[in-house]
Amino acid sequence: MRIEINLLYENPLNVEIYGEDDPAQLAELVKKIKVSGYIKPLISNRNYLIVSGHRRYRATKVLGMQVIEVEMISKDENQELEILLAENAFREKK
């Protein structure tokens, strides 16, 4: 579903687990999205908390996008954490 980007908010666990974004990596993602026009849908819960896609969310904000594709899920907190970890399996943890 497509929703207004300003409805979403970031999961504080993301920064707690993975730390702050590397500015160069974020800039590279912004560039890739700008060139390709493709963004893998974010995953959020029904309360608009981002479960997966924090960097994509930040990149779209840099690009000034107003609407983004989101997959809404209805899971408990433990399942959401498992999704967050699985979607970022190759990222270095703090």
Side-chain angles (χ1 to χ4, degrees), residues 15 17 20 22 29 35 38-39 47 55 58-59 64 68 90:
V15 170
I17 294 169
E20 298 292 335
D22 176 311
L29 180 58
V35 169
Y38 174 74
I39 305 166
N47 296 320
R55 289 185 291 179
R58 290 184 205 113
I68 192 165
F90 297 105

Side-chain angles (χ1 to χ4, degrees), residues 14 17-18 40 43 51-53 56 78-91 93:
N14 189 67
I17 294 169
Y18 299 106
K40 179 180 174 184
I43 299 173
V51 176
S52 177
R56 285 173 273 149
N78 290 329
Q79 291 170 318
E80 288 179 5
L81 177 58
E82 288 300 320
I83 292 168
L84 186 150
L85 294 170
E87 289 286 319
N88 293 288
F90 297 105
R91 278 186 74 189
K93 293 174 182 60

Side-chain angles (χ1 to χ4, degrees), residues 65-78:
M65 297 176 74
Q66 302 296 314
V67 176
I68 192 165
E69 192 71 31
V70 175
E71 177 186 344
M72 292 282 206
I73 60 170
S74 183
K75 306 285 184 187
D76 66 37
E77 287 182 22
N78 290 329

Side-chain angles (χ1 to χ4, degrees), residues 18-33:
Y18 299 106
E20 298 292 335
D21 283 339
D22 176 311
Q25 288 179 347
L26 182 60
E28 185 63 27
L29 180 58
V30 168
K31 181 180 172 183
K32 286 180 181 180
I33 292 170

